[in-house]
Amino acid sequence: MTSPQTPDNARRKFIAAAGAGVAGLGFTAIAPGLHLMAVGEANAAPTPRKAGEPANPAVRWGLLIDANKCAPGCTKCIDACHTENGVSANLPDPRQNSQWIRKIELVDRRPGKTRGHVTQLPMMCQHCAEPPCVDVCPTGASMKRADGIVLVDRHTCIGCRYCMMACPYKARSFVHAPLNDQNPEVPRGKGCVESCTLCVHRIDKGQQPACVESCPEGAMTFGDLNDADSAIAKRIASVPTTQVRADLRLNPGVRYEGL
Amino acid sequence: MFTPKPRQEENLFYLLAAIGGLVSAIGLAAALYMEHEGHVVTGMNNQIVWGLPHVVAIFLIVAASGVLNVASMGSVFGRVLYKSRAPLSGLLGIAMLSGGLAIIMLDLGRADRIIVAMTHFNPTSVFGWNVILYPVFYAFVGIYLWTMMERRMNPYSKVAGLATFIWRIILTTGTGSIFAFLVARQAYGSALLAPMFIIMSFSWGLAVFIVVQATMYAWNGMQLPPLILQRMKNLLATLVAAVLYFTAVLHLVSAYFAKQTAFEYFILVDSEFSGMFWIGQVLIGSLLPLTLLFHPATRAKVAWINLAAALVIVGAFFQLYVFIIGGQAFPLEMFPGYDIKSSFFDGTVDHYSARLPEILLALGGVAIAFTMTTIGVRALHFLPQDDIAELEAAIRITD
Amino acid sequence: MNKREAIFSAFPLCLCVSVVRFVPFALALLAVSPAPTFAGDGTRTDKPVIEIAKPGKCIAPAEEMRRNHMDMLKHQRDRTLRLGIRGEPVTLNGCIECHASQKTGSVLGEGNFCQSCHAYAAVKLDCFECHQPKAGFKATGVKP
């Protein structure tokens, strides 16, 4: 799945060709032309949505992460995320702490000349177009917003953790203890499952996700995958990129470059 | 065997019911404590998200539907031997399902939102379907019990039995499918799991039934007719062998066809779960009972057959523990061909050890099932009454 | 590790505490049942002390707020979270900005806006298990 010529490629070409950004991304009906609204500057901030306007189904927010640029030992994106979202790590058993984003270190063990090569990358909710967490959630608390962001509606989450069993990326955390230092814009609480929200509260204000903004290497590109003119879509159309666990055909909204 | 005198018996009954009630109450208190402090007080974490409570609950739920088979064989297939056991089997089914569901509900992160679980339904979720399957199961078993106990309703008992039988097959398929749909983890996501859970439920349900029946006969100072035990013993042996066969196929398919050799190596050879698998599940839970059920020295003795059934139950717990905990302890394979490391314990095998609150919660669920059975049996006089002559005649015909 | 052991050894005690806590909770539950009838008419005589920290106008007439704020909030949360609609008059954070006490900066706590009235009406509010009850709070977050 790490080789870039799997379904990935076909899909990428398809996206490029489709232009209007329809693509087999799980959206059934999209008004052609709407994509023109989101203008694709390199890493441009999204346009803030007007008051009273719902999320735009023509848009699909995504991230492109360049693993080549991700610096060893740097945890800026993680710090930024956890500060923005008020995620703290103070439980005695570290395995019970939430981590919305984490740094993964990969050592290549495949035979060949890349053997032993070390790669770094941040890992978080992949915001799949076909999210297994949404399929399995008994109450429908796991949900995908119209613009492709996968969220947990913590007003209906009962804390059964079935979504955590279903997620192939270990992207979700369960809040194991009561909290009281939440950021007002990011409510979080005991007994519910949570994960990266792509900083919805920032996107809706026309800002970038905290991690993207904080990366000193510019390794993360945020934008509208459906908009062929956006920096992210252009980049995905021109360089080989990888979907993690492409074999599951979940069509994640987070793509990696340099794997 | 120990047989109490009438007055003693009365006291013993109250004692047992009180112990059951107390353990249930402690389990409930443990759940409240977990609810209040959060799951920090348990051994569960972000990698092993389902722990001991789920192992015990799934055993109870799977065995609950299996124990009803005794009734189904009576009503649906007209076996006299099983017919007189149908009420007991229905009661056990309800009691065990209640215990299992209580555990699952009380372990929820937000058990206070149980209303949400009932009012919000996601049709793509297997877990969601189960929320519908269980109440209907109760209704079916309740109606079935009624048709058996109310003389006027007797004619409908066959239909009710059939409906219950079909529903319980669906229910167990649903339980198995909870795992069968989890493609993300190496241990699960196999279509084999649905039929396997059905066979498991047959086997464990019958084992539970045999043990409960033995206790009740001993309690009442009665001897179970050897003929009956003989029949049940043969059936149990077949089912235990079938589960063993399914286990073998599951692991072979996983190792050779799904190419999950690393995971299979982990479970079968190199982990804390390997011992539980070989000694707990295979030896204690399958081979030993099979030997007891077939060996000339033991196969005709009531005590040995009961022991075999008890061993099957012990083996079932090992099997579920290896399946549920072992399956989660193995790290997710996100990047095949790479060694993977992170602050979130990617790439490392996790270790689970249950802590007191979750152990008490799990025991509480068992106690709920126990208490309901004890009280139900006494209040409703569910001791099977066999007409031996009729039985012998029937067996001669069916053979 | 120490903390964990401490939690663990405190278990029997906490267990008792939990059980005892459950009693008032159960009583509260009983008490909730008649609450809606009280809430129905906003004109009942003896009201709890309600301190309005930031004088001005509420998002709707006080009468209507008293009667309908729960439905407004519950309706709004689906609009915001599921549909992504923001910038509408009803927001929980908005309530907090205006109604937080000037002394403690919070809507919770003895005598403060949401809590005083809810304690009086015996309606449990679990919103603030997640939502920050303090106005203008800035979370820090800690490195993992």
Side-chain angles (χ1 to χ4, degrees):
Chain A
M1 53 112 264
T2 37
S3 59
Q5 58 271 55
T6 34
D8 207 0
N9 229 345
R11 203 174 261 142
R12 200 181 329 115
K13 285 205 188 98
F14 187 38
I15 295 172
V22 186
L25 293 176
F27 296 115
T28 39
I30 289 168
L34 270 182
H35 71 283
L36 293 173
M37 281 170 21
V39 184
E41 277 296 315
N43 242 355
T47 32
R49 201 151 2 91
K50 284 198 216 64
E53 215 171 86
N56 183 355
V59 171
R60 182 181 181 203
W61 297 121
L63 278 179
L64 176 63
I65 297 168
D66 188 345
N68 292 326
K69 289 191 189 157
C70 185
C74 170
T75 58
K76 287 231 164 57
C77 55
I78 294 157
D79 302 342
C81 169
H82 288 174
T83 307
E84 176 67 32
N85 294 299
V87 179
S88 51
N90 45 19
L91 300 183
D93 182 345
R95 297 169 303 174
Q96 292 179 330
N97 282 323
S98 289
Q99 292 203 19
W100 287 23
I101 179 172
R102 63 196 192 267
K103 208 46 191 289
I104 281 184
E105 190 185 295
L106 296 172
V107 183
D108 201 336
R109 288 278 162 242
R110 296 169 303 179
K113 60 180 187 309
T114 59
R115 196 185 173 90
H117 186 72
V118 181
T119 316
Q120 317 267 325
L121 50 88
M123 189 79 198
M124 73 292 269
C125 170
Q126 303 281 297
H127 297 280
C128 308
E130 313 284 348
C133 53
V134 172
D135 288 343
V136 302
C137 177
T139 63
S142 270
M143 52 162 243
K144 192 176 71 181
R145 217 172 72 156
D147 50 6
I149 303 173
V150 175
L151 297 170
V152 183
D153 179 349
R154 274 155 281 172
H155 303 114
T156 46
C157 172
I158 54 173
C160 72
R161 285 103 82 205
Y162 195 22
C163 57
M164 299 175 76
M165 291 286 274
C167 177
Y169 307 110
K170 203 184 172 184
R172 293 204 157 174
S173 304
F174 180 66
V175 182
H176 283 79
L179 301 173
N180 50 30
D181 53 353
Q182 301 92 329
N183 179 346
E185 286 183 299
V186 189
R188 306 169 55 228
K190 177 196 71 183
C192 286
V193 175
E194 59 180 14
S195 61
C196 158
T197 63
L198 220 56
C199 287
V200 263
H201 59 290
R202 291 174 59 93
I203 293 179
D204 287 350
K205 281 190 289 196
Q207 297 169 330
Q208 306 233 345
C211 54
V212 176
E213 208 174 71
S214 74
C215 180
E217 319 291 334
M220 298 166 109
T221 310
F222 169 79
D224 180 5
L225 294 170
N226 282 353
D227 176 4
D229 295 329
S230 69
I232 187 171
K234 281 191 193 142
R235 182 91 188 146
I236 288 175
S238 58
V239 297
T241 56
T242 306
Q243 305 178 7
V244 181
R245 297 257 7 216
D247 58 319
L248 297 176
R249 303 184 166 274
L250 305 174
N251 186 357
V254 178
R255 310 289 169 84
Y256 291 88
E257 189 184 327
L259 274 180
Chain B
M1 245 181 232
F2 169 69
T3 306
K5 292 189 198 68
R7 224 195 42 240
Q8 251 184 342
E9 190 255 11
E10 173 117 11
N11 292 339
L12 194 57
F13 163 75
Y14 285 120
L15 182 68
L16 282 183
I19 291 175
L22 185 71
V23 178
S24 309
I26 292 176
L28 187 69
L32 280 170
Y33 173 70
M34 273 163 66
E35 185 74 14
H36 185 260
E37 302 291 317
H39 278 59
V40 256
V41 297
T42 71
M44 291 175 262
N45 60 45
N46 287 320
Q47 170 75 31
I48 296 185
V49 301
W50 285 355
L52 186 69
H54 300 80
V55 170
V56 175
I58 290 172
F59 171 80
L60 287 172
I61 292 170
V62 168
S65 69
V67 81
L68 258 186
N69 257 39
V70 173
S72 308
M73 276 185 292
S75 294
V76 182
F77 305 110
R79 299 285 171 89
V80 180
L81 150 66
Y82 293 108
K83 208 166 187 161
S84 54
R85 282 164 180 71
L88 175 59
S89 111
L91 172 68
L92 268 173
I94 287 184
M96 288 168 79
L97 187 66
S98 304
L101 287 183
I103 297 178
I104 296 265
M105 306 266 174
L106 290 171
D107 174 76
L108 292 177
R110 299 284 314 235
D112 54 326
R113 287 189 178 160
I114 199 66
I115 305 285
V116 174
M118 284 180 241
T119 52
H120 291 65
F121 174 63
N122 173 12
T124 63
S125 168
V126 184
F127 226 43
W129 302 346
N130 282 307
V131 174
I132 295 179
L133 294 176
Y134 299 130
V136 179
F137 180 85
Y138 276 109
F140 271 130
V141 178
I143 293 171
Y144 181 39
L145 279 178
W146 182 49
T147 59
M148 283 187 294
M149 292 164 63
E150 174 69 48
R151 207 163 278 280
R152 283 175 301 137
M153 296 302 290
N154 279 174
Y156 303 103
S157 124
K158 194 174 168 122
V159 182
L162 186 64
T164 311
F165 178 69
I166 293 170
W167 197 259
R168 62 136 312 232
I169 297 276
I170 298 174
L171 184 109
T172 322
T173 309
T175 314
S177 301
I178 288 177
F179 295 97
F181 279 80
L182 294 176
V183 288
R185 306 214 183 206
Q186 266 81 353
Y188 315 122
S190 165
L192 267 179
L193 289 174
M196 185 167 168
F197 264 68
I198 294 179
I199 299 296
M200 277 154 40
S201 84
F202 284 170
S203 170
W204 302 347
L206 186 59
V208 168
F209 187 87
I210 291 178
V211 170
V212 172
Q213 176 181 254
T215 317
M216 284 173 60
Y217 271 80
W219 181 281
N220 289 290
M222 286 163 55
Q223 188 75 47
L224 185 67
L227 182 70
I228 292 168
L229 203 61
Q230 214 58 27
R231 292 260 137 179
M232 291 200 161
K233 167 214 114 170
N234 290 343
L235 185 59
L236 182 65
T238 317
L239 292 170
V240 169
V243 173
L244 194 60
Y245 168 78
F246 257 100
T247 307
V249 172
L250 188 72
H251 286 290
L252 283 175
V253 166
S254 168
Y256 290 100
F257 297 101
K259 309 253 183 316
Q260 287 163 353
T261 37
F263 173 70
E264 288 303 325
Y265 185 79
F266 169 78
I267 284 288
L268 301 181
V269 184
D270 182 31
S271 69
E272 56 181 312
F273 303 101
S274 319
M276 295 185 202
F277 176 80
W278 292 110
I279 297 176
Q281 181 183 343
V282 176
L283 188 67
I284 300 179
S286 312
L287 298 179
L288 215 56
L290 282 176
T291 314
L292 290 175
L293 294 173
F294 283 127
H295 195 277
T298 53
R299 69 181 173 201
K301 300 229 172 60
V302 178
W304 287 114
I305 294 175
N306 290 335
L307 178 67
L311 289 178
V312 170
I313 298 173
V314 173
F317 278 107
F318 278 113
Q319 177 169 358
L320 283 176
Y321 196 91
V322 170
F323 179 70
I324 296 174
I325 312 286
Q328 294 176 83
F330 190 71
L332 289 172
E333 231 173 55
M334 271 181 276
F335 298 92
Y338 290 88
D339 283 351
I340 163 171
K341 197 166 82 191
S342 83
S343 62
F344 207 38
F345 310 96
D346 289 287
T348 35
V349 169
D350 205 344
H351 169 76
Y352 169 77
S353 45
R355 310 252 292 271
L356 192 54
E358 64 210 299
I359 295 174
L360 292 180
L361 171 60
L363 285 178
V366 177
I368 289 175
F370 171 82
T371 316
M372 283 177 73
T373 311
T374 312
I375 295 176
V377 159
R378 195 175 164 96
L380 301 169
H381 303 289
F382 270 176
L383 186 71
Q385 307 284 339
D386 290 305
D387 182 335
I388 298 295
E390 186 195 8
L391 245 181
E392 276 173 345
I395 282 168
R396 230 171 286 124
I397 295 163
T398 48
D399 278 345
Chain C
M1 281 302 134
N2 260 340
K3 193 171 166 189
R4 197 203 308 187
E5 272 162 27
I7 293 177
F8 203 51
S9 55
F11 172 69
L13 192 105
C14 297
L15 197 82
C16 303
V17 174
S18 298
V19 176
V20 174
R21 277 214 188 110
F22 181 65
V23 176
F25 180 69
L27 290 177
L29 223 80
L30 281 175
V32 183
S33 19
T37 38
F38 275 115
D41 63 338
T43 53
R44 72 186 161 214
T45 41
D46 64 314
K47 270 188 295 183
V49 217
I50 290 172
E51 172 207 355
I52 304 286
K54 256 194 209 164
K57 263 214 185 108
C58 196
I59 50 170
E63 184 71 3
E64 193 188 332
M65 288 315 289
R66 249 171 258 147
R67 201 172 302 139
N68 291 334
H69 68 278
M70 35 279 170
D71 299 331
M72 288 172 164
L73 284 169
K74 286 189 173 170
H75 180 67
Q76 187 63 36
R77 68 186 188 186
D78 288 348
R79 285 176 71 81
T80 303
L81 212 133
R82 300 204 156 242
L83 302 176
I85 301 172
R86 306 220 181 226
E88 291 191 313
V90 181
T91 74
L92 187 50
N93 281 336
C95 321
I96 296 162
E97 287 305 326
C98 278
H99 284 293
S101 142
Q102 252 152 4
K103 265 183 257 117
T104 60
S106 174
V107 290
L108 288 192
E110 188 117 16
N112 290 347
F113 188 71
C114 304
Q115 181 162 331
S116 68
C117 195
H118 275 242
Y120 170 76
V123 180
K124 195 175 160 252
L125 255 195
D126 71 352
C127 313
F128 298 106
E129 279 181 27
C130 291
H131 288 272
Q132 180 55 252
K134 290 200 177 107
F137 184 83
K138 193 79 200 97
T140 44
V142 182
K143 259 199 201 184

